[in-house]
Amino acid sequence: MYVNDHKAKMRKAACMVITMSDTRNISTDKSGSLIVDFLEKHGHMVTSRDIVADEKNAIDKKITAGINDPNIDVILTNGGTGIANRDVTIETVKPLLDKEIPGFGEIFRSLSYLEDIGSAAILSRAIAGIANQTVIFAMPGSSGAVRLAMERLILPELSHVIHEINKDT
């Protein structure tokens, strides 16, 4: 297994956590709680946590507010990344990105296939990218997917990603 041995400055991130759901609330949002727990355990700050309906306008409004807030470094979303008609997170997030980070979705699906859900990984449309110097990670809504993404991809590289997008500014 690859060990992240580069010594990027360990910058603690100010994070916005958003769950896309028509049925969850803060007390039933296991995946959102898991994201918050992982971030705080690794010293990052959660400055905002919300649940937004699976509706393009509501998602766009919340993510755009995060992108335009200079105090937010990272937006982590869960839910709405599948192929059902109500799954519109990717269609909403992708046009907002200045740069996509395709490796996130590619490696996430590979790990999901190998370690979690097998061939059902083809249904995942997880995506990551940069919008207005803000990192966005859009993960599926299941707790297993969130755990996989956070442990194996996001947390090991979060400080490095933030360092890279800010090093020329």
Side-chain angles (χ1 to χ4, degrees), residues 10-23:
M10 293 305 295
R11 178 170 176 211
K12 300 306 177 189
C15 304
M16 171 185 262
V17 176
I18 308 169
T19 297
M20 285 28 153
S21 177
D22 292 328
T23 59

Side-chain angles (χ1 to χ4, degrees), residues 41-57:
K41 185 170 140 184
H42 285 83
H44 301 291
M45 301 168 296
V46 177
T47 61
S48 171
R49 178 179 176 194
D50 292 292
I51 297 178
V52 176
D54 284 319
E55 297 172 0
K56 189 171 175 50
N57 288 340

Side-chain angles (χ1 to χ4, degrees), residues 3-49:
V3 177
N4 179 351
D5 61 356
H6 56 265
K7 301 294 180 195
K9 294 179 183 174
M10 293 305 295
R11 178 170 176 211
K12 300 306 177 189
C15 304
M16 171 185 262
V17 176
I18 308 169
T19 297
M20 285 28 153
S21 177
D22 292 328
T23 59
R24 294 181 191 165
N25 59 46
I26 292 295
S27 63
T28 61
D29 179 20
K30 289 189 224 175
S31 294
S33 295
L34 194 58
I35 294 169
V36 169
D37 290 345
F38 273 119
L39 291 168
E40 290 178 344
K41 185 170 140 184
H42 285 83
H44 301 291
M45 301 168 296
V46 177
T47 61
S48 171
R49 178 179 176 194

Side-chain angles (χ1 to χ4, degrees), residues 35-159:
I35 294 169
V36 169
D37 290 345
F38 273 119
L39 291 168
E40 290 178 344
K41 185 170 140 184
H42 285 83
H44 301 291
M45 301 168 296
V46 177
T47 61
S48 171
R49 178 179 176 194
D50 292 292
I51 297 178
V52 176
D54 284 319
E55 297 172 0
K56 189 171 175 50
N57 288 340
I59 296 167
D60 182 74
K61 182 177 179 182
K62 184 57 70 174
I63 292 176
T64 299
I67 290 168
N68 290 328
D69 184 339
N71 298 313
I72 300 290
D73 299 310
V74 184
I75 300 171
L76 300 105
T77 76
N78 74 95
T81 63
I83 60 171
N85 287 336
R86 296 285 296 161
D87 293 330
V88 296
T89 300
I90 303 307
E91 289 76 15
T92 307
V93 170
K94 197 168 187 172
L96 298 173
L97 300 178
D98 301 321
K99 290 185 179 186
E100 192 171 339
I101 305 172
F104 173 75
E106 295 163 358
I107 296 170
F108 174 79
R109 283 181 283 281
S110 178
L111 290 171
S112 294
Y113 174 76
L114 294 171
E115 300 179 14
D116 191 22
I117 58 173
S119 60
I122 68 169
L123 302 178
S124 173
R125 298 183 306 137
I127 191 173
I130 311 302
N132 192 31
Q133 299 300 108
T134 304
V135 184
I136 302 173
F137 292 100
M139 299 171 269
S142 77
S143 295
V146 164
R147 180 176 304 282
L148 181 71
M150 293 297 291
E151 288 180 335
R152 299 291 302 277
L153 299 172
I154 296 171
L155 289 170
E157 291 299 323
L158 190 55
S159 292

